[in-house]
Amino acid sequence: MGKVRSAIEQVIEGKRASVDLALTVLLAEGHLLVEDVPGVGKTMLAKALGRSIDCSVRRLQFTPDLLPSDITGVSVFNAESREFEFKPGGIFANIVVGDEINRASPKTQSALLESMEEGQVSVDGTTYGLQAPFMVVATQNPIEMEGTYPLPEAQRDRFMARIEMGYPTPASELDMLDAHGAANPLDSLQPVTDAATVRGLIEATRRAHVSLPVRQYIISVVNATRHSRDLRLGASPRASLQLLRAARAQAALSGREYVTPDDVASLAVPVLAHRVLPSTEAQLARHSVEDIISAAVRTVAVPDHR
């Protein structure tokens, strides 16, 4: 996946951590939520990922008038054949870019739930499978911005990880002006692998060894969020499974066949922070969820994983 990383970095300047996490989520068969202010490259990251692995990419612009059928598809009556024909919606692609997902109504947002959890879409009593690899990369602006709807807890829990792109460094922004000022770098981005290779890498990632002490460490980290006084909603059992899968993927990206506690600890914030809700006291004290998760991780003893 080193070639894929290098290809994406031709488009996304100075965001190695964000690129690596996107690749981790891809190998772990998860979905990525990118939250930040407009204009920092959220959609560009998703498009660069899809183009570099030569997979189908479809972009869904979430707006208040977007309908669930625009996402899943709809059955249309064919007057010639006298039968209903299914017209696939925007979800039928390897990489689905959900742009500004929190500008659509909660009903439309919920149309993604089945596909994200089960890799399939049900319309009018018929189930349609989605081709692997399948990954939703959703972008959202901060909730405080005008015209946004908060994502339901069930929707947030379907995303394996959440990241914030952040502003680039001055040096990276200068490079961006040089590279993007005359042409769109996406136009010259060439695929460095294909979907079949990615599927093989995903299969290899599943075989990464996770020892019993590391599995127990994952449970302890997740339980620490459930007992934190600063959180009124801790991480779900799905979070434990997603943390395990993400840790396997990170180990694979690092060239290892086994998972270490460091893999788990480094992924705890991006995998858990969007799944929990801070207490009123923590909000009044201006404690960020990321800091609360980091503090919870520090309370857990690090095991010997050998």
Side-chain angles (χ1 to χ4, degrees):
M1 296 298 283
K3 292 182 179 179
V4 178
R5 179 193 293 120
S6 299
I8 297 174
E9 288 184 330
Q10 295 175 19
V11 179
I12 305 296
E13 302 283 349
K15 296 295 178 184
R16 171 62 65 88
S18 298
V19 172
D20 283 349
L21 187 56
L23 295 176
T24 297
V25 173
L26 174 66
L27 291 184
E29 301 175 273
H31 308 286
L32 183 66
L33 181 62
V34 189
E35 179 178 325
D36 218 318
V37 297
V40 293
K42 303 187 296 294
T43 306
M44 190 74 75
L45 171 64
K47 288 183 176 180
L49 174 62
R51 189 163 297 188
S52 63
I53 61 177
D54 197 21
C55 287
S56 59
V57 181
R58 296 192 71 173
R59 179 176 177 269
L60 288 168
Q61 181 63 54
F62 281 72
T63 56
D65 60 348
L66 188 73
L67 298 176
S69 58
D70 295 329
I71 297 174
T72 59
V74 64
S75 295
V76 179
F77 183 73
N78 188 319
E80 294 183 0
S81 63
R82 297 287 180 177
E83 294 180 348
F84 281 93
E85 295 181 354
F86 177 66
K87 301 296 183 182
I91 199 68
F92 286 84
N94 296 120
I95 306 293
V96 178
V97 183
D99 209 7
E100 296 184 309
I101 186 174
N102 57 338
R103 291 199 181 278
S105 67
K107 181 179 181 179
T108 300
Q109 293 173 11
S110 65
L112 290 169
L113 294 179
E114 180 186 10
S115 59
M116 292 175 66
E117 182 68 16
E118 302 175 35
Q120 64 183 31
V121 173
S122 298
V123 178
D124 295 334
T126 303
T127 299
Y128 304 90
L130 299 172
Q131 186 178 7
F134 171 67
M135 179 180 178
V136 174
V137 182
T139 72
Q140 74 167 356
N141 297 324
I143 298 301
E144 294 80 7
M145 301 193 73
E146 185 176 353
T148 58
Y149 300 81
L151 290 181
E153 284 77 7
Q155 180 83 25
R156 291 202 308 269
D157 205 36
R158 294 305 200 278
F159 288 99
M160 175 172 283
R162 181 190 68 179
I163 60 174
E164 296 179 359
M165 296 291 290
Y167 291 112
T169 63
S172 296
E173 195 161 7
L174 181 60
D175 291 339
M176 182 195 72
L177 294 180
D178 293 337
H180 298 217
N184 187 344
L186 275 175
D187 296 337
S188 59
L189 183 61
Q190 297 296 320
V192 294
T193 187
D194 55 25
T197 302
V198 173
R199 286 194 290 269
L201 292 172
I202 290 173
E203 287 292 333
T205 297
R206 293 174 182 168
R207 296 192 293 269
H209 177 66
V210 186
S211 65
L212 178 59
V214 173
R215 297 199 301 273
Q216 291 173 332
Y217 181 61
I218 291 172
I219 298 300
S220 298
V221 168
V222 173
N223 269 322
T225 69
R226 299 169 184 166
H227 297 98
S228 173
R229 294 181 179 180
D230 291 328
L231 297 175
R232 57 187 173 91
L233 176 66
S236 66
R238 182 187 286 116
S240 304
L241 181 60
Q242 299 277 23
L243 187 54
L244 171 68
R245 290 175 176 173
R248 275 181 170 146
Q250 179 159 293
L253 282 174
S254 301
R256 285 182 279 105
E257 297 181 351
Y258 58 90
V259 176
T260 69
D262 287 341
D263 293 322
V264 177
S266 64
L267 290 165
V269 169
V271 173
L272 301 180
H274 63 290
R275 306 172 189 271
V276 302
L277 294 176
S279 65
T280 303
E281 293 77 9
Q283 289 177 308
L284 292 174
R286 297 186 178 276
H287 293 161
S288 70
V289 175
E290 290 78 9
D291 289 341
I292 295 171
I293 296 295
S294 296
V297 172
R298 289 194 295 269
T299 65
V300 180
V302 179
D304 184 350
H305 65 281
R306 291 171 293 178

